[in-house]
Amino acid sequence: MHRSRGGFNGFAVLMSVFLLCLPANSQLTTDFYSKTCPNVLQIVRREVMKAIKVETRMAASLIRLHFHDCFVNGCDASLLLDGSDSEKLALANLNSARGFEAVDTIKAAVESQCSGVVSCADILTIAARDSSLLSGGPTWKVPLGRRDGLVANLTAANTTQLPSPFEGLNSIINKFVAVGLNITDVVSLSGAHTIGQAKCATFSNRLFDFGGTGSPDNTIETSMLSDLQSLCPINGDGNRTTALDRNSQDLFDNHYFQNLINKKGVLSSDQILFSSDEAASTTKALVQTYSTNPSLFFTDFANSMIKMGNINPLTGSNSEIRKNCRVANS
Ligand code: HEM
Ligand SMILES: *[C@@H]1O[C@H](CO)[C@@H](O)[C@H](O)[C@H]1NC(C)=O
Ligand SMILES: *[C@@H]1O[C@H](CO)[C@@H](O)[C@H](O)[C@H]1NC(C)=O
Ligand SMILES: *[C@@H]1O[C@H](CO)[C@@H](O)[C@H](O)[C@H]1NC(C)=O
Ligand SMILES: *[C@@H]1O[C@H](CO)[C@@H](O)[C@H](O)[C@H]1NC(C)=O
């Protein structure tokens, strides 16, 4: 009796271990296109390189597209679809997400060599990796084999899933946890703000009357505060931009974390990783660690990007490989 119960428990434990080892992305592999499109990595690399040569910021824009794709319905290139339900119209993306033309160019170059083979979701994933590397950041082997979704979900993009720069830390953490990421991923992936730009509309609430206090956010360093106040005066042009990583905007490095320690995070959602009360028991220690340990930041960033790229992919014979990233095949 006792023996057979023990045997059953052992079986149950083995089964759970087995199930835990079967992630939804079990079909993604780094050599997925080795027979069907052997040059895909070189093609994407060359096109990303060209795009960054025209505009350095494009590296940042491409990384952000991958993030905003993966958080809404998984990494299925739903963000790239045009139309009335387009995720491009969501609050977090409208007049903000950019690089869609660059993605079209990359896709066209891939199609010209391997028509109908490589998904838009995989192209975004590879382009994000190349953008990190070409900006001086880490590289990694990209698991591939995602397929493209048939529909966009504007409601999801608007409401539940994309974090906002005005949100509290616990709420941001919850959005990461909801897609299977954790606190380490929140900090390492926020490190993508080591490159790129933010517009006044995304941080000007901090500059004059923060949360109805009548004063600026007291976690902004004073010289940066006066610079940002002149860039973004009350009733000024909300589309003017500044570097997310002040004084190191084009180089992918750990300077962003040093800025946070010096109260030079531009977005509230950046600075709260270090300065908020909630940070003390969650993110603060890791911000400090990354600020002095760039190689740990690089390793963790690469691992977290792979994790993010594995959110709910469509695989196998599900859905389709889009011909044009902007529309589902008819
Ligand atoms: C933690 C929650 C996050 C929030 C609240 C957030 C918010 C923002 C905001 C408000 C901007 C500026 C957009 C604009 O001015 O139009 C921005 C830019 C950017 N974000 Fe995030 N972000 C977050 C996490 C991430 C993650 C996980 C990544 C990628 C791994 C990322 C990559 C970027 C990049 C590269 C830019 C610059 C884009 C460009 O210059 O075109 N962000 N983010
Ligand atoms: C999503 O947000 C945008 C921008 O705030 C708004 O124009 C649109 O009506 C919203 N749509 C849905 C379905 O939530
Ligand atoms: C879109 O997302 C919302 C909120 O996450 C969900 O309730 C809805 O079922 C989704 N719609 C489609 C068509 O997937
Ligand atoms: C987050 O997950 C990674 C594995 O994906 C793990 O190495 C890391 O320790 C986790 N971090 C936390 C804070 O749980
Ligand atoms: C920014 O520019 C867009 C398009 O050029 C415009 O529709 C929008 O109103 C501007 N936003 C702000 C905050 O000024």
Side-chain angles (χ1 to χ4, degrees), residues 57-69 98 124 127-133 135 140 189 192 195 252 301 305 308:
R57 183 185 176 188
M58 192 51 67
S61 305
L62 289 170
I63 291 177
R64 187 165 187 240
L65 288 185
H66 179 50
F67 159 49
H68 282 199
D69 176 32
R98 58 200 298 284
L124 265 189
R129 186 274 310 267
D130 290 349
S131 295
S132 166
L133 177 66
S135 307
W140 57 91
L189 292 174
I195 54 174
F252 196 111
F301 182 78
M305 284 292 280
M308 184 173 83

Side-chain angles (χ1 to χ4, degrees), residues 5-228:
R5 259 187 49 155
F8 176 77
N9 283 343
F11 176 74
V13 167
L14 266 181
M15 267 315 281
S16 338
V17 169
F18 176 71
L19 289 173
L20 283 172
C21 293
L22 261 186
N25 54 299
S26 55
Q27 294 162 78
L28 299 183
T29 53
T30 54
D31 63 352
F32 189 82
Y33 297 110
S34 63
K35 299 231 164 57
T36 52
C37 194
N39 295 326
V40 63
L41 296 178
Q42 287 105 294
I43 302 168
V44 175
R45 174 72 52 86
R46 189 182 64 225
E47 294 302 323
V48 173
M49 224 179 249
K50 276 197 231 166
I52 293 175
K53 211 170 228 173
V54 174
E55 187 197 22
T56 310
R57 183 185 176 188
M58 192 51 67
S61 305
L62 289 170
I63 291 177
R64 187 165 187 240
L65 288 185
H66 179 50
F67 159 49
H68 282 199
D69 176 32
C70 292
F71 265 59
V72 181
N73 271 4
C75 312
D76 65 348
S78 56
L79 171 62
L80 303 180
L81 291 168
D82 286 337
S84 58
D85 209 30
S86 178
E87 293 167 22
K88 297 172 188 179
L89 306 173
L91 195 57
N93 292 326
L94 193 66
N95 298 316
S96 176
R98 58 200 298 284
F100 297 108
E101 297 75 17
V103 174
D104 292 338
T105 305
I106 303 169
K107 172 68 168 171
V110 173
E111 285 295 299
S112 74
Q113 287 201 26
C114 329
S115 178
V117 168
V118 182
S119 67
C120 298
D122 276 347
I123 287 177
L124 265 189
T125 315
I126 302 166
R129 186 274 310 267
D130 290 349
S131 295
S132 166
L133 177 66
L134 295 169
S135 307
T139 186
W140 57 91
K141 283 196 155 63
V142 180
L144 297 168
R146 296 166 194 78
R147 294 168 67 84
D148 297 321
L150 300 176
V151 292
N153 193 334
L154 175 57
T155 310
N158 256 353
T159 55
T160 46
Q161 306 178 351
L162 289 173
S164 139
F166 311 118
E167 230 170 320
L169 182 55
N170 289 334
S171 169
I172 288 176
I173 291 173
N174 287 338
K175 288 188 172 174
F176 278 66
V177 169
V179 294
L181 302 178
N182 66 22
I183 290 174
T184 308
D185 302 313
V186 171
V187 182
S188 66
L189 292 174
S190 291
H193 292 172
T194 179
I195 54 174
Q197 307 258 322
K199 56 183 183 185
C200 294
T202 63
F203 59 84
S204 56
N205 67 314
R206 306 179 69 201
L207 303 179
F208 300 97
D209 178 16
F210 183 54
T213 57
S215 315
D217 185 337
N218 63 11
T219 64
I220 308 182
E221 184 271 339
T222 52
S223 74
M224 181 173 101
L225 177 65
S226 50
D227 285 357
L228 293 183

